[in-house]
Amino acid sequence: MTQDELFKVLVAHCKEYGFIFPSSEIYDGLSAVYDYGQMGVELKNNIKSYWWQAMTRLNENIVGIDSCVFMHPKTWVASGHVAAFNDPLIDNKDSKKRYRADVLIEDYLGKIEEKMNKEVEKGRKRFGEAFDEAKFRETNPNILREKAKYDEVHNRYVAAEEANDLKEYKQIILDCGIVDPISGTANWTDVRQFNLMFSTQISNTGADDDKIYLRPETAQGIFINYLNVQKTGRMKIPFGIAQIGKAFRNEIVARQFVFRMREFEQMEMEFFCKPGTEMEWFRKWKENRMKWHRTLGMGDDNYRFHDHEKLAHYANAATDIEFRFPFGFKELEGIHSRTDFDLGNHQKLSGRKIQYFDPETNESYVPYCVETSIGVDRMVLAVLSHSYKVEEVGNGESRVVLAIPAPIAPIKVAVLPLVRKDGLPELAQKVVDEVKFDFTYQYDEKDAIGRRYRRQDAIGTPFCVTVDYDSLKDNTVTIRERDSMTQERVPISELRSIIDKKVNMSNLLRQL
Ligand code: GAP
């Protein structure tokens, strides 16, 4: 299966098993808006709990808040979103479709990179063990030709981005012969800036100053509450404020399922520190966040840092944690050293003194801030795309299994009476009573046991417990483990501790 096919199958699987549904499907859906179903919400809640506990329980100096989606409109002036939270958009006059001009150019550059990589793979096959990739890239005429093309377009693109030169964006698109994938034509409009914030009105007068925005990031809710939390919590610098909540962006290129949505959820933590110490904290949070990801056991090779060369004017360091999604390595989380940009601007615009008095040095300053920001939905997609597997199980049969890390699996245990008679359902209910206070569970008595196992594999349940005739005699049951499919006979009284060892979230937290 190609990665493209895998992605389509995964999207269908998510719908079939109650993880993620297209929103408003009965009205043919709403572009880039998705709803979480009965399995998806459990997975999402577990991911949020893992993050929340890692932040607020494992760090004495990090506390959480829950601020509103609506904030005073000046918030977004101070943060720079009103002036600069823009994407360059371009329309194709024939297909009437809208695209991000920068994405069209980046996709074009991506295709050149792909061509070069294919050439390298050919060389690797041809030369076998003796293959020297670096030398090959420096000498192969096909690669050199493509590289020259790449560099020329890339340099123009970077310069246009830096100068915010929208005419040059269009010229690059025309010069590279980039056409609309739908109409196949290069009949493009000029490139315009498009602000990504959604707005609505706070009262009913319709006046312009009633305009209010739906927050495009949760971070500003933290900044505008900095003083409240610092004072009421008697927080000493360095300290952090964490928040999980919805964010809204009117994305132009809204595709790739829950990777890029118009309504999504973020988990953000702003860590306030003394100016001059921010690089040390930036390094610590880079390490800390990578460890949080890797502890889930989804393969260290599937993560990498992508340090930003070009920094936003308010940042003095920035990196992304990228994950290997089915469509390649892409940003999963951002870590930014944001200096005193946000608090400083809120101080200016609100007229309130937003400063920290350091009792040790007797000086006051606007704290610097290191931010960690991850999308819950992207994390859900990372987990699902990594977990989805089709495995041969012998006799020409296969199974679809979601090998979701056990502590975040939606359902932890399934309780299955072998047959629907002879007192087995009643004993199975007793097993349910044994486990239901500690674990999410499903009770299932329909169909042959093999089919029931498959249903649980498909939603990623780490354990299936089967109640059979022997159970009536000796109070033991069979416990089947999802990944190895091994089965073991155990007393009902030991079930809780066996399951707990594998699924308890504290197992993850202890490793951080
Ligand atoms: N406060 C910083 C901030 O919002 P960002 O890089 O724009 O930075 C942070 O967003 C994270 O939020 C991203 O790494 C990504 O995981 C998630 N995210 C951003 N836009 C998203 C979208 N349209 N759909 C889903 N997740 C998104």
Side-chain angles (χ1 to χ4, degrees):
M1 214 185 310
T2 65
Q3 292 297 298
D4 225 24
E5 286 162 348
L6 168 72
F7 192 55
K8 283 196 186 118
V9 170
L10 180 70
V11 173
H13 188 90
C14 284
K15 186 173 166 211
E16 187 180 348
Y17 287 94
F19 281 87
I20 300 168
F21 307 126
S23 177
S24 323
E25 206 186 1
I26 57 167
Y27 297 105
D28 296 332
L30 188 62
S31 166
V33 186
Y34 291 90
D35 295 334
Y36 284 81
Q38 63 280 15
M39 291 302 138
V41 69
E42 295 286 350
L43 172 61
K44 203 178 177 198
N45 284 344
N46 292 340
I47 288 172
K48 289 196 271 187
S49 167
Y50 176 40
W51 184 89
W52 188 258
Q53 294 189 54
M55 283 294 175
T56 62
R57 274 206 206 170
L58 301 190
N59 298 284
E60 271 175 31
N61 58 350
I62 297 184
V63 292
I65 62 162
D66 183 16
S67 72
C68 280
V69 165
F70 292 137
M71 281 173 249
H72 193 285
K74 280 188 184 167
T75 307
W76 306 108
V77 177
S79 67
H81 283 80
V82 170
F85 195 50
N86 299 323
D87 275 345
L89 73 85
I90 189 166
D91 294 284
N92 184 273
K93 292 182 200 162
D94 298 321
S95 70
K96 311 267 183 274
K97 291 278 170 203
R98 179 162 288 179
Y99 299 89
R100 265 174 64 177
D102 54 341
V103 171
L104 287 178
I105 299 169
E106 278 168 18
D107 284 352
Y108 175 83
L109 288 169
K111 279 185 195 140
I112 301 181
E113 263 182 339
E114 238 173 69
K115 269 193 202 164
M116 292 194 284
N117 291 340
K118 273 192 187 149
E119 206 63 48
V120 168
E121 284 320 304
K122 271 200 240 161
R124 197 186 304 285
K125 273 194 194 137
R126 196 170 349 129
F127 295 111
E129 296 245 310
F131 183 63
D132 178 344
E133 182 176 332
K135 198 162 172 210
F136 189 77
R137 282 185 183 273
E138 278 165 22
T139 52
N140 179 280
N142 292 342
I143 293 191
L144 289 177
R145 197 180 51 247
E146 293 299 329
K147 177 86 175 48
K149 205 190 314 173
Y150 181 97
D151 287 345
E152 194 226 311
V153 177
H154 186 254
N155 291 343
R156 282 180 69 188
Y157 171 53
V158 170
E161 201 185 8
E162 261 163 25
N164 199 14
D165 185 345
L166 302 182
K167 277 197 181 138
E168 174 66 352
Y169 272 135
K170 181 172 179 184
Q171 201 52 51
I172 297 173
I173 289 171
L174 294 176
D175 292 349
C176 292
I178 298 173
V179 294
D180 175 8
I182 294 169
S183 66
T185 69
N187 195 6
W188 298 110
T189 60
D190 287 342
V191 177
R192 282 163 295 147
Q193 288 291 18
F194 177 83
N195 193 289
L196 298 185
M197 282 196 292
F198 283 105
S199 64
T200 183
Q201 253 125 19
I202 192 116
S203 70
N204 299 323
T205 65
D208 234 18
D209 47 6
D210 285 348
K211 190 168 170 181
I212 193 160
Y213 296 102
L214 276 71
R215 65 180 178 197
E217 60 170 17
T218 63
Q220 297 304 325
I222 296 179
F223 294 123
I224 61 168
N225 277 296
Y226 164 83
L227 279 181
N228 287 335
V229 175
Q230 193 271 319
K231 290 211 154 64
T232 57
R234 290 180 294 120
M235 307 301 290
K236 300 242 176 322
I237 283 230
F239 73 91
I241 306 178
Q243 166 156 243
I244 299 178
K246 290 272 186 165
F248 304 83
R249 295 182 190 178
N250 199 359
E251 300 280 3
I252 303 168
V253 184
R255 49 180 184 182
Q256 295 167 330
F257 198 32
V258 293
F259 183 83
R260 198 176 298 286
M261 298 157 83
R262 293 200 160 105
E263 174 179 343
F264 58 101
E265 222 171 338
Q266 289 184 314
M267 306 190 280
E268 301 202 290
M269 193 280 297
E270 308 298 327
F271 194 80
F272 301 101
C273 60
K274 190 173 178 179
T277 63
E278 74 276 11
M279 293 317 280
E280 183 195 326
W281 287 111
F282 176 74
R283 279 191 292 276
K284 279 200 178 137
W285 280 108
K286 256 180 92 168
E287 237 172 72
N288 185 309
R289 293 303 303 146
M290 187 57 106
K291 196 163 183 198
W292 183 89
H293 286 285
R294 289 187 167 162
T295 301
L296 279 172
M298 300 203 298
D300 291 1
D301 291 354
N302 290 323
Y303 302 90
R304 70 182 186 194
F305 285 115
H306 170 240
D307 293 332
H308 293 204
E309 283 162 32
K310 187 180 164 243
L311 294 171
H313 58 284
Y314 53 79
N316 60 5
T319 195
D320 295 336
I321 294 179
E322 294 186 337
F323 182 75
R324 197 196 301 266
F325 287 98
F327 36 83
F329 270 103
K330 293 274 179 247
E331 175 186 340
L332 173 59
E333 170 156 7
I335 301 161
H336 293 90
S337 171
R338 299 179 66 113
T339 66
D340 59 355
F341 174 82
D342 301 274
L343 290 185
N345 276 355
H346 286 305
Q347 175 168 265
K348 265 187 234 147
L349 217 68
S350 67
R352 297 284 179 89
K353 194 171 169 197
I354 307 183
Q355 299 206 347
Y356 177 77
F357 174 73
D358 191 331
E360 277 167 27
T361 58
N362 275 343
E363 50 172 352
S364 291
Y365 54 81
V366 178
Y368 269 36
C369 176
V370 173
E371 169 186 84
T372 74
S373 173
I374 171 170
V376 181
D377 313 271
R378 276 196 198 174
M379 190 60 202
V380 167
L381 184 59
V383 170
L384 288 173
S385 59
H386 176 265
S387 304
Y388 183 90
K389 293 180 174 51
V390 182
E391 289 180 353
E392 298 303 321
V393 286
N395 298 332
E397 283 190 28
S398 63
R399 69 166 182 160
V400 171
V401 59
L402 288 185
I404 300 174
I408 58 169
I411 302 294
K412 304 293 194 264
V413 54
V415 180
L416 318 169
L418 189 63
V419 291
R420 236 189 299 183
K421 57 182 183 179
D422 300 334
L424 297 191
E426 288 75 13
L427 183 56
Q429 276 304 333
K430 285 193 182 140
V431 173
V432 166
D433 290 341
E434 181 72 18
V435 297
K436 71 181 177 192
F437 298 104
D438 296 289
F439 314 113
T440 46
Y441 74 93
Q442 271 194 352
Y443 174 81
D444 188 3
E445 54 178 29
K446 200 165 169 288
D447 296 323
I449 195 75
R451 287 188 70 178
R452 282 183 268 168
Y453 284 157
R454 293 290 168 272
R455 279 204 287 270
Q456 294 303 325
D457 288 342
I459 58 170
T461 308
F463 291 108
C464 288
V465 169
T466 306
V467 176
D468 57 20
Y469 286 102
D470 286 344
S471 312
L472 294 173
K473 288 185 229 146
D474 59 8
N475 265 323
T476 63
V477 285
T478 307
I479 187 162
R480 170 190 182 266
E481 200 270 327
R482 177 194 67 199
D483 300 333
S484 60
M485 291 189 285
T486 51
Q487 300 191 13
E488 205 187 332
R489 195 90 206 163
V490 301
I492 292 174
S493 58
E494 283 177 23
L495 275 178
R496 269 170 51 205
S497 81
I498 294 170
I499 299 168
D500 193 70
K501 264 188 207 129
K502 185 136 187 206
V503 309
N504 199 319
M505 182 83 73
S506 64
N507 297 338
L508 291 180
L509 296 170
R510 272 178 223 287
Q511 294 173 57
L512 294 177

